């Protein structure tokens, strides 16, 4: 009996070692870490352009190549900074949604194809609710509805602001849910709004190229006892009039 057990045990050990090596080899390669795959702009105005950046980081041990990016709508674009991502590196996917004359709930997706194994396809989703002039006043509004900024010169930073108003009968807790970092940084002057109260959303612009027209957005989250919504203020850097 013991003479039979030893060969069987030996073969079992070899099989386990072989399986472990094969498994580790199958698991090696590039791998994108997508901590955020869905972003909700919430309420956006018609004829606006809003932007959100998604970060794609390669946490694997081999290069990842992005071979194709395809959206389901011409209103949505999603270029990346780099198509080839080395281990430990990351790239930014700048997803832009143009609301146009659309109305109501919108959900757009971007399919990203890579050379990752065993599955190289993943999807990024953006959501929005496009307002109409005739719809009921939402719980949170801004005046003006968009931020427009025209720097005086290429070294000028500057600030711009809008007034946020709580139109509901609940106290709303506000926080910045997302913004377009290359253009600047937002700040809420007040994070808690009682019914009817207002606060300022201030946008501090980075030094920008005066000859380049850029767009961005700030998304504010507003939560109450029964209210939970996102509200996006589009940002446009306009050319200086000479």
């Amino acid at each position: 009996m013991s003479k039979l057990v030893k060969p069987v045990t030996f073969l079992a050990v070899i099989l386990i070692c072989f399986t472990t090596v094969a498994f580790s080899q199958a698991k090696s390669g590039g791998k994108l870490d997508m901590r955020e795959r869905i972003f909700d702009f919430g309420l956006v105005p018609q004829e606006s352009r809003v932007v959100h950046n998604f970060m794609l980081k390669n946490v694997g041990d081999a290069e990842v190549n992005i071979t194709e990016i395809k959206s389901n709508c011409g209103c949505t674009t999603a270029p990346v900074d780099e198509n080839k991502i080395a281990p430990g590196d990351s790239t930014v996917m700048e997803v832009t949604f143009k609301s146009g004359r659309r109305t109501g709930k919108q959900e757009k997706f971007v399919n990203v194809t890579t050379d990752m194994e065993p599955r190289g396809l993943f999807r990024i989703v953006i959501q929005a609710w496009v307002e109409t002039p005739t719809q009921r006043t939402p719980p949170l509004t801004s005046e003006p509805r968009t931020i427009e900024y025209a720097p005086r010169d290429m070294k000028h930073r500057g600030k711009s602001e809008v007034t946020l108003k709580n139109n509901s009968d609940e106290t709303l807790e506000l926080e910045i849910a997302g913004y377009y970092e290359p253009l600047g940084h937002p700040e809420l002057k007040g994070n808690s709004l009682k019914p009817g109260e207002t606060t300022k959303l201030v946008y501090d612009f980075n030094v920008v190229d005066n000859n380049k027209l850029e767009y961005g957005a700030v998304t504010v989250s507003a939560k109450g006892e029964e209210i939970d919504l996102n509200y996006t203020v589009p940002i446009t850097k306009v050319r200086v009039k000479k």
Side-chain angles (χ1 to χ4, degrees):
M1 177 69 73
S2 61
K3 291 182 178 180
L4 291 175
V5 171
K6 288 182 179 179
V8 171
T9 304
F10 181 72
L11 288 173
V13 171
I14 292 176
L15 181 61
I16 292 172
C17 292
F18 178 81
T19 304
T20 302
V21 172
F23 180 78
S24 63
Q25 288 178 343
K27 288 295 183 179
S28 65
K31 181 181 179 182
L32 288 182
D33 179 15
M34 287 290 299
R35 297 185 181 276
E36 181 184 38
R37 293 200 182 190
I38 301 175
F39 185 76
D40 181 15
F41 286 109
L43 299 175
V44 301
Q46 290 183 321
E47 301 294 354
S48 65
R49 183 183 304 194
V50 291
V51 185
H52 183 73
N53 282 347
F54 291 84
M55 184 68 68
L56 288 68
K57 183 176 182 179
N58 184 358
V59 295
D61 55 11
E63 185 178 77
V64 173
N65 294 304
I66 298 175
T67 57
E68 184 181 39
I69 299 173
K70 188 175 182 180
S71 65
N72 68 330
C73 177
C75 62
T76 306
T77 58
V80 291
D81 289 344
E82 296 289 341
N83 289 90
K84 296 182 178 182
I85 312 171
D89 288 348
S90 59
T91 189
V92 173
M93 175 173 286
E94 184 177 292
V95 180
T96 301
F97 169 65
K98 301 177 184 178
S99 61
R101 299 301 297 171
R102 294 170 181 80
T103 59
K105 184 178 179 180
Q106 307 291 318
E107 184 170 277
K108 310 300 178 183
F109 62 82
V110 179
N111 283 335
V112 182
T113 304
T114 71
D115 60 357
M116 291 189 300
E117 295 291 345
R119 184 178 178 180
L121 177 68
F122 62 92
R123 175 172 290 184
I124 288 175
V125 179
I126 59 167
Q127 301 168 333
W129 183 279
V130 183
E131 303 167 325
T132 62
T134 58
Q135 76 178 41
R136 188 175 66 177
T137 302
L140 185 70
T141 55
S142 69
E143 180 60 41
R145 186 62 182 90
T146 63
I147 294 175
E148 290 189 350
Y149 172 62
R152 294 192 298 269
D153 54 64
M154 293 177 64
K155 296 182 179 180
H156 179 64
R157 290 173 58 94
K159 295 183 179 182
S160 190
E161 64 182 37
V162 297
T163 300
L164 299 176
K165 182 179 181 181
N166 180 0
N167 303 298
S168 74
D169 56 3
E170 301 179 24
T171 296
L172 296 180
E173 300 299 327
L174 308 182
E175 65 177 21
I176 303 296
Y179 65 97
Y180 185 57
E181 292 186 23
L183 205 54
H185 301 274
E187 179 187 1
L188 285 168
K189 292 301 184 180
N191 294 89
S192 184
L193 286 184
K194 294 180 180 179
E197 286 187 340
T198 63
T199 190
K200 297 291 185 181
L201 170 63
V202 180
Y203 203 88
D204 185 5
F205 284 83
N206 295 330
V207 176
V208 288
D209 183 350
N210 207 30
N211 297 317
K212 186 178 180 182
L213 187 65
E214 294 190 62
Y215 300 86
V218 180
T219 301
V220 178
S221 169
K223 295 183 179 181
E225 291 185 3
E226 297 183 3
I227 295 173
D228 187 354
L229 64 84
N230 282 354
Y231 186 87
T232 293
V233 181
I235 300 173
T236 304
K237 182 174 76 72
V238 297
R239 299 184 187 278
V240 176
K241 297 180 179 178
K242 296 182 178 180

